[in-house]
Amino acid sequence: MKIVSVIATTALLSLGTLSAVAQDDTQTQGSGADSAFSVIDQNGDGSIDKDEAKNSGISDRRFESMDSDGDGEVTQSEYEGQGSGSGWQ
């Protein structure tokens, strides 16, 4: 009987942990555009430079069209201004 009690307690604790992890994961997920931007922004500085774009398979021509202010970096607002964010390539 003691073993059953230990197994049941362990199972309940595991479910609580899984629930907390799942809840935390949904809180950290942003929109698809946020997630894609974060993946492309490899150094996490809040903008995408030409090297990061190139590493993600984005052509120079496409990068330049996204860089609306011509400063050599694409900010998240410039990125999001291009529709759903999936039209990079």
Side-chain angles (χ1 to χ4, degrees):
M1 188 66 158
K2 203 173 197 184
I3 293 175
V4 172
S5 178
V6 169
I7 291 172
T9 302
T10 303
L12 288 173
L13 289 173
S14 296
L15 287 174
T17 302
L18 288 174
S19 176
V21 169
Q23 183 178 13
D24 184 53
D25 188 44
T26 56
Q27 290 174 352
T28 60
Q29 292 177 353
S31 71
D34 291 344
S35 299
F37 183 87
S38 296
V39 169
I40 298 168
D41 179 19
Q42 297 165 347
N43 64 7
D45 68 352
S47 64
I48 299 169
D49 62 31
K50 270 196 170 186
D51 289 334
E52 290 170 323
K54 194 170 277 195
N55 290 340
S56 297
I58 298 164
S59 71
D60 287 342
R61 182 176 174 200
R62 183 69 179 139
F63 178 83
E64 290 166 10
S65 73
M66 296 291 289
D67 182 16
S68 60
D69 63 6
D71 68 351
E73 297 180 334
V74 174
T75 62
Q76 186 149 3
S77 63
E78 287 173 317
Y79 179 83
E80 291 171 352
Q82 298 296 315
S84 67
S86 61
W88 269 83
Q89 300 178 22

